[in-house]
Amino acid sequence: MSTQPPALSHFQAATRVVIAPGRAAAALAVELPRVACARWCVVADRGLAENGGLDRLLRALPRDAAPVLELVGEDPDAETIGRLVAQARDRGSDAVIAIGGGSGLCAGKAVAIGLANPGPLAPHAGHDRLERPPAPCLAIPTTAGSGSEVSEVVILHQADGGPHLMIRGRGYAPRVAILDGEVMRTLPTRPMLLAALDALAHAYEALWSRGADRFTDAFAFSAARQLREALPPALDGDAAARQQLIEASAMANYACGNSELATVHAMSSAPEVHLPHGYQTGVLLPHVARRIADVLPAAVQAEIEALEPLYAKVGFVSRFAPGELDEAGLEAVARAGIENPLSSNDPRPPTFEELRTLLREAGAGDR
Ligand SMILES: [Zn+2]
């Protein structure tokens, strides 16, 4: 709900979303034959394989239908993706099942890009830069946060710590996303909380980004409300709430993928800062929201007022712990907040000094 809508806005929801509470394995077996390809391969998070979750998801598939490639750790870089693409080609795969949190899904989507576009990925960074659309990709999120399963964006970290590579374009989103909250049953509460705070930031930034329109509002308001409702019981182990959370996370991404993100995500993009993405967005969201609340419509202000009680309920403090973000980190985050073009989507774009002040209020620079 922007106060200054652009002349043209858009809404695209390209991914087929399959709602499959407790039935992801069965849904996978039904969906795979619907996509024309020679052979699937699986790109997945290492943690999921280690706790047996990967075997449970693949149990309904015929043997050797989809070989599992090298497992993926946190924040995969372009080099890792290059290896995975080579492995997929060796096995005759031309389509990808991406399973995991943000890292596993991004890696799978990047492999789909690499299968259709030989050579290094870096030259494809930017918007609509691929020569050919990515190979078919089916995504199963195992956290409710990134919404990457319905997103046309792939973000890759660089091994040398340089700026993240973003590859984005029409037709780059997965063909199918299977949403099953049961895959989060064994997820510890901290990663579940941080992922959900990221989804919350996606929904809220979609509410006030300059690219917001009535379509994105429909998804963003619903996602914000459902994330708030579902997060506390989901953290307490409620199965229905887990399903609500994973659906709301995809909705939040449909909202922000069309409206665009804003200052919270601009500030969370500093490559020098290695705090978890969901933690950074979770800390920053209430501070950024307070800075702009007075220029936002009453309905969005009401959403902002609901943040503090939610944070209290889930025991999350919107303040960096002492020593967590030193002076250099503070400068890096403020600089990213200004230099990343996402901050221009802010209804009142910030100055560098305003961001430094905001960061001090959020505990940055405390020893
Ligand atoms: Zn995010």
Side-chain angles (χ1 to χ4, degrees):
M1 189 180 277
S2 167
T3 48
Q4 294 173 284
L8 287 175
S9 57
H10 64 270
F11 191 83
Q12 175 167 309
T15 303
R16 169 183 166 83
V17 174
V18 180
I19 318 290
R23 288 175 295 163
L28 185 61
V30 170
E31 292 297 322
L32 289 188
R34 291 181 166 165
V35 179
C37 68
R39 196 182 197 203
W40 293 89
C41 63
V42 175
V43 174
D45 280 333
R46 186 171 302 130
L48 186 71
E50 286 168 358
N51 71 18
L54 187 58
D55 286 342
R56 281 195 293 279
L57 284 172
L58 301 179
R59 67 181 176 231
L61 301 187
R63 211 176 142 76
D64 296 331
V68 178
L69 308 184
E70 174 186 323
L71 296 164
V72 180
E74 278 290 295
D75 302 333
D77 56 36
E79 205 173 298
T80 308
I81 303 305
R83 274 202 313 278
L84 289 166
V85 172
Q87 291 170 13
R89 286 221 176 85
D90 284 350
R91 289 160 175 77
S93 295
D94 58 354
V96 181
I97 304 169
I99 307 177
S103 297
L105 295 185
C106 250
K109 288 160 68 181
V111 171
I113 289 172
L115 280 173
N117 298 271
L121 290 173
H124 305 308
H127 280 66
D128 293 312
R129 299 280 301 275
L130 295 182
E131 273 177 37
R132 283 173 292 279
C137 178
L138 183 152
I140 305 180
T142 58
T143 59
S146 75
S148 187
E149 67 275 10
V150 297
S151 154
E152 62 180 20
V153 180
V154 172
I155 297 200
L156 293 175
H157 292 246
Q158 304 226 57
D160 63 3
H164 307 334
L165 282 182
M166 187 196 71
I167 301 175
R168 175 176 188 176
R170 283 196 205 184
Y172 297 6
R175 302 266 183 102
V176 182
I178 295 175
L179 304 183
D180 176 5
E182 274 310 282
V183 300
M184 298 194 293
R185 191 164 41 86
T186 54
L187 187 67
T189 53
R190 182 74 177 168
M192 186 186 286
L193 171 63
L194 297 187
L197 291 175
D198 185 31
L200 203 66
H202 295 165
Y204 274 72
E205 292 214 283
L207 286 173
W208 58 65
S209 168
R210 283 175 189 268
D213 57 32
R214 277 183 280 274
F215 282 81
T216 59
D217 277 357
F219 278 77
F221 275 114
S222 180
R225 178 177 55 77
Q226 295 197 55
L227 289 164
R228 287 201 315 272
E229 260 176 34
L231 182 55
L235 290 170
D236 286 339
D238 182 295
R242 277 198 298 268
Q243 182 65 29
Q244 190 179 357
L245 203 64
I246 207 162
E247 291 178 24
S249 157
M251 285 181 205
N253 202 295
Y254 266 149
C256 74
N258 285 283
S259 69
E260 300 296 336
L261 292 162
T263 304
V264 173
H265 275 77
M267 296 176 80
S268 307
S269 68
E272 303 91 332
V273 176
H274 300 290
L275 298 168
H277 176 72
Y279 179 71
Q280 293 185 60
T281 56
V283 169
L284 293 171
L285 177 63
H287 297 274
V288 171
R290 262 196 302 275
R291 197 189 76 80
I292 51 174
D294 63 311
V295 298
L296 296 175
V300 180
Q301 290 184 14
E303 296 294 326
I304 292 172
E305 279 162 26
L307 279 177
E308 200 178 307
L310 173 72
Y311 275 46
K313 210 168 186 176
V314 298
F316 186 81
V317 180
S318 59
R319 191 174 175 83
F320 294 107
E324 212 164 43
L325 201 60
D326 60 13
E327 288 296 329
L330 184 155
E331 296 293 319
V333 171
R335 201 168 49 246
I338 293 299
E339 290 176 358
N340 187 318
L342 290 178
S343 57
S344 64
N345 298 323
D346 196 297
R348 190 167 59 205
T351 64
F352 185 65
E353 269 318 308
E354 280 174 328
L355 293 188
R356 293 178 84 218
T357 305
L358 180 153
L359 282 163
R360 291 215 184 278
E361 285 163 10
D366 288 359
R367 290 163 202 253

